[in-house]
Every structure is written in C-alpha cells, then in structure tokens.
Amino acid sequence: MIRKHLPSNATLADVFRDLAEPEEYLRRLLGNMRFCQKHHGDACVRIGVSGKGTKGFAPSYRVDYMASDGNLVAFNGFGGTSHSAFTGTNTLETNWSHGHLAIREVQALYDDLKKDVTLRARWAND
C-alpha cells in the first residue's frame, strides 16, 4: 500500500477542511492547546506529516510552547483520533511538520468552521 505523506511544512490550516470530523477535531485539539497555554502562557501546534493527506483523516499533533530563550519546546503529542497524550518518546520521535499555528490561529479556524456550519444549516432550512 502506498502512503501519502504531507509536505514537511504543512500546517493545520492546510488540511483542516479534509479532516474526518473537523469541528470535533479542532474542539478537542484546542482543549489540549489550552491546557498547555494555562501552564506555559502560550501554545502552538504542529501536525504529523507521515499520515495520509486525504479527505477524512485525523492527523496526530504536537503542542509546543515558546521557551524563554525563544525556542519551541514540546509540551506533548496527541493521537489525532483519540486526542490522548503520547509518551514522551513518541512525542519526540514522530515526524512532525516544521510549520506550526499559534493557538489564536487555530481558534480562528474553529470559529470560521462554526460559522460555515451555521450558514450551511440555515441555507438547508430555507
């Protein structure tokens, strides 16, 4: 079986419309990002690039924060379907994208998606 890989600099913004359940995925991802933000003041997310980049997928992701020296530090990795935390080893060894989105950018994606869902539902009822 041939696996498709995402580009090494892919971000959630590049793939979120292809997610299996984008609203639920983003909601749960944001919950994990907020936990990091609560403890470290900010959060950003990278996605796993070794999974399939086709419609209906749920990539694993890593939440990072900015250290005082300006470097990104891994907070934890999470499974894309379960949103459960990885072990420390898996968090560091998985193929993560070089690109990332800040929590405010992920929140904007979620807000836009919610608006789209609301508009589609309103149009369906007209």
Side-chain angles (χ1 to χ4, degrees):
M1 176 182 193
I2 298 173
R3 289 185 72 163
K4 288 181 70 175
H5 295 285
L6 297 171
S8 64
N9 64 344
T11 68
L12 191 57
D14 299 323
V15 301
F16 85 101
R17 294 211 184 265
D18 293 331
L19 298 172
E21 297 179 24
E23 186 176 341
E24 180 67 7
Y25 179 93
L26 291 175
R27 184 186 69 76
R28 293 181 72 185
L29 180 145
L30 279 165
N32 286 329
M33 290 184 82
R34 286 186 187 109
F35 191 71
C36 176
Q37 183 183 41
K38 178 179 178 180
H39 293 288
H40 298 286
D42 73 345
C44 63
V45 65
R46 300 171 188 230
I47 56 173
V49 295
S50 60
K52 293 171 86 174
T54 58
K55 187 98 175 138
F57 78 121
S60 296
Y61 56 92
R62 185 176 110 175
V63 176
D64 296 337
Y65 63 92
M66 189 71 68
S68 58
D69 63 4
N71 290 313
L72 288 177
V73 176
F75 175 69
N76 211 338
F78 299 89
T81 303
S82 68
H83 298 272
S84 297
F86 285 177
T87 65
T89 301
N90 286 342
T91 296
L92 296 175
E93 289 183 352
T94 301
N95 293 316
W96 304 113
S97 171
H98 299 292
H100 63 273
L101 292 182
I103 191 169
R104 70 184 179 288
E105 295 169 306
V106 177
Q107 183 66 56
L109 289 176
Y110 182 72
D111 293 344
D112 288 347
L113 183 65
K114 292 284 286 179
K115 288 176 192 172
D116 286 351
V117 169
T118 302
L119 288 174
R120 282 194 302 268
R122 192 175 330 157
W123 290 329
N125 292 330
D126 287 343

